[in-house]
Amino acid sequence: MSDTCILYLNDTINELITSAKNTKKINDFESGILMGYYNSISLLLSQATAFGITQKLDKEIQEFVPESLLIS
């Protein structure tokens, strides 16, 4: 996979994580948005693992636990 694709995936996942962390669970709507972020991030990380490119992603992304978004 090209470096451009890895950079794109890194940036996209980082942006999703940042947006998710900035989402406050103040009502059902916001909780739904957070669940959407969780599902998207989880899918991208699962696909990265399936394609064997997880080790090419930033260390912070490799160590990120999507479930941490749902706790609090």
Side-chain angles (χ1 to χ4, degrees):
M1 184 168 284
S2 74
D3 288 338
T4 303
C5 292
I6 297 299
L7 292 173
Y8 171 79
L9 187 58
N10 264 322
D11 189 58
T12 300
I13 295 172
N14 273 323
E15 289 294 324
L16 288 170
I17 290 171
T18 300
S19 294
K21 287 181 176 180
N22 289 331
T23 301
K24 307 292 185 233
K25 294 191 298 185
I26 55 175
N27 56 39
D28 289 343
F29 181 75
E30 296 292 328
S31 293
I33 290 172
L34 189 59
M35 185 59 73
Y37 283 127
Y38 164 77
N39 285 331
S40 299
I41 294 165
S42 293
L43 176 62
L44 289 170
L45 292 175
S46 293
Q47 290 297 96
T49 300
F51 282 88
I53 58 171
T54 304
Q55 70 280 358
K56 295 181 180 180
L57 299 174
D58 290 344
K59 188 76 168 166
E60 298 81 24
I61 293 174
Q62 292 178 34
E63 296 173 352
F64 183 73
V65 178
E67 289 76 14
S68 65
L69 297 172
L70 305 177
I71 301 170
S72 68

